[in-house]
Amino acid sequence: MRRYILRVTLCIATVVTLAAGWIPYTHRAARLDLSNSDDSYTAEKSIGLVPASKEIYAEGVGFVDQTIFYQAVVTPDEVPWLAQAPEVSHFEAPNQAPLWWSLSLWWHGRNSDMKYFGTSTKSPCLFAYSKQKGLVYGTVEFDRTKPQNPH
């Protein structure tokens, strides 16, 4: 019986360790290398944001009408376009959001300075911005019949 309990505990510990390591791995893998032309195009044209920090993480979800989820380290001078976006109440991460994005939004959303925005002027988008942390979270939903730049 003791061996059985030890094996079950070891199996559970292995699964938990793998799951805990998967989140930072996928976050690191989502970092855009702006010297790469594909990543640069994603940041400039699809997202419409190239932060001075060059620290931007993005992951596309979906096949036909893709949604890009991104997180960027920014300064207040880099996000003046948020002043024109209508503020919305707190939102939860959409179901299809990458786990690293959802957990990071939840974690930083606990700060009282987090503001949430939503717009559908050029494409449906959600944004969250923390001036204190210098982070902007965003989604860009692509509808093939509309222009691609959300800002």
Side-chain angles (χ1 to χ4, degrees), residues 96-150:
Q96 76 272 24
L99 191 54
W100 64 264
W101 193 87
S102 299
L103 288 176
S104 186
L105 177 67
W106 168 78
W107 182 260
H108 291 111
R110 299 178 310 144
N111 295 340
S112 61
D113 80 320
M114 185 70 85
K115 292 186 179 181
Y116 301 90
F117 306 90
T119 182
S120 59
T121 53
K122 293 183 181 178
S123 61
C125 302
L126 294 172
F127 306 101
Y129 173 61
S130 171
K131 185 175 183 179
Q132 179 183 6
K133 295 288 184 180
L135 292 173
V136 65
Y137 294 86
T139 66
V140 179
E141 291 186 34
F142 291 115
D143 180 354
R144 299 293 177 217
T145 60
K146 294 184 179 181
Q148 299 298 312
N149 190 345

Side-chain angles (χ1 to χ4, degrees), residues 3 35-36 59 65 73 86-87 111 125 129 135 138 142 146-147:
R3 281 186 180 175
S35 64
N36 177 310
E59 187 171 336
D65 292 330
V73 177
E87 271 195 60
N111 295 340
C125 302
Y129 173 61
L135 292 173
F142 291 115
K146 294 184 179 181

